[in-house]
Amino acid sequence: MIAVLLALTFVFALAACAGSSKPAETTAAAETTTTAAASETTAGTDTTAAASSDTTSAAAAGGTLTMATSADFPPYEFYDGDKIVGIDAEIAAAIAQKLGMELKIEDMDFDSVIPAIQSGKADIAMSGLTVTDERKLTVDFSDSYATGVQAIVVPEKSPITSADDLAKNVGKYKIGVQLATTGDIYASDTPEKGGFGSDNVEEYSKGADAILALTSGKIDAVIIDKEPAKAFVAANSGLKVLDSAYVSEDYAIAVQKGNTELLGKVNDALKGLIADGTVKSIVDKYITAK
Ligand code: ARG
């Protein structure tokens, strides 16, 4: 009984970390301050310009870079208190700094991240976001800055030992995924195409919710990216990540389709940060190499 309570406490703590009740946005750099507009107009000068209020501060000289993310995905993006931290948050901050811009992070459900780029609500998306041909039709991607692998999480005593066990027993197991992720897309596909059929897939708006359903026995497995899988397993007792890797992927930054100017700037900044070792040191800080 105590063990069960403890396990539940961990799950809830993790769900809280995933930020379901956290404020929707956080500013990573200094707040933009309003510089007082020139208070007097001199005869003979352009009064319109002199009177217009100037809302630019030194910190935001290059403007604001708004990043869309779903901060429920450790170690890429998650809450530390009320601050969004992680590999993506730190790489984004380094890019913004290189571009002389102020980074603003907008947290949202994962299925809203790409729409936020399409609508222009955000400039860049960094969300452990996998490059896929389908997504390339809706957004443009930067060079890749990391790789990911889809992993399978099961209870420690599960009879499921590999992706094959799932593939050979379609209909027998319920599989949980985070809505609109590549894990969801693969799993929901038809068995002929390597999936398990959407009837056998439960979609959750947060990965942590899928993990919670797994701990309580509502589903039999969760398919999610490997590093978050490891983080969730570490935070919840009684679960394990299967060794057999499922699908390998590239993570990249998305920008609005056709915004070649921003894409060029992001890629240049990223190249510099990869070349000087910044990206590697950020990744190493969050993922302990084995
Ligand atoms: N790599 C997967 C995808 O692109 C999962 C990303 C989920 N990201 C998140 N922040 N929850 O679909």
Side-chain angles (χ1 to χ4, degrees):
M1 188 59 198
I2 289 171
V4 169
L5 281 177
L6 264 178
L8 282 175
T9 312
F10 278 120
V11 172
F12 282 119
L14 188 72
C17 283
S20 37
S21 60
K22 290 298 191 298
E25 62 184 53
T26 170
T27 308
E31 285 291 340
T32 304
T33 52
T34 306
T35 313
S39 58
E40 57 186 48
T41 54
T42 318
T45 62
D46 180 348
T47 52
T48 313
S52 73
S53 95
D54 175 4
T55 54
T56 328
S57 74
T64 304
L65 185 69
T66 306
M67 162 178 153
T69 197
S70 176
D72 56 4
F73 203 63
Y76 296 96
E77 44 268 332
F78 57 102
Y79 280 91
D80 179 8
D82 57 7
K83 200 170 174 272
I84 295 173
V85 297
I87 294 171
D88 289 344
E90 288 204 24
I91 293 177
I95 290 173
Q97 196 188 19
K98 259 201 184 311
L99 301 181
M101 298 174 87
E102 181 198 27
L103 179 69
K104 188 170 147 217
I105 302 180
E106 292 262 3
D107 183 22
M108 58 194 75
D109 279 344
F110 183 72
D111 67 337
S112 299
V113 167
I114 287 184
I117 295 300
Q118 290 182 282
S119 69
K121 183 171 182 251
D123 304 308
I124 62 169
M126 288 188 79
S127 200
L129 190 62
T130 302
V131 180
T132 71
D133 287 340
E134 280 282 294
R135 290 174 178 168
K136 277 187 190 165
L137 300 173
T138 59
V139 293
D140 286 340
F141 282 104
S142 71
D143 299 336
S144 176
Y145 62 89
T147 54
V149 177
Q150 291 299 309
I152 300 167
V153 182
V154 293
E156 252 155 20
K157 298 197 175 84
S158 172
I160 302 166
T161 59
S162 67
D164 237 34
D165 284 345
L166 293 177
K168 286 188 182 130
N169 293 286
V170 173
K172 184 167 174 193
Y173 301 119
K174 278 256 175 288
I175 294 144
V177 295
Q178 182 176 21
L179 181 65
T181 57
T182 47
D184 185 10
I185 297 163
Y186 305 136
S188 301
D189 215 337
T190 58
E192 297 76 55
K193 290 184 171 161
F196 313 111
S198 51
D199 285 356
N200 300 307
V201 177
E202 292 289 336
E203 298 169 318
Y204 298 86
S205 67
K206 303 272 169 209
D209 294 339
I211 295 292
L212 184 62
L214 186 62
T215 3
S216 66
K218 284 203 191 95
I219 53 176
D220 304 290
V222 168
I223 296 183
I224 193 163
D225 305 45
K226 184 146 193 181
E227 292 303 328
K230 281 164 39 186
F232 287 133
V233 165
N236 292 274
S237 54
L239 301 179
K240 65 181 180 189
V241 184
L242 295 185
D243 286 334
S244 72
Y246 193 50
V247 184
S248 297
E249 311 181 317
D250 288 321
Y251 293 165
I253 303 168
V255 304
Q256 197 169 44
K257 218 166 177 30
N259 192 347
T260 46
E261 192 196 331
L262 180 60
L263 188 63
K265 284 187 192 170
V266 165
N267 269 333
D268 285 348
L270 198 55
K271 273 195 190 85
L273 295 166
I274 290 172
D276 71 8
T278 305
V279 166
K280 187 180 182 313
S281 71
I282 293 171
V283 171
D284 287 351
K285 175 176 158 189
Y286 286 95
I287 300 174
T288 2
K290 292 257 160 67

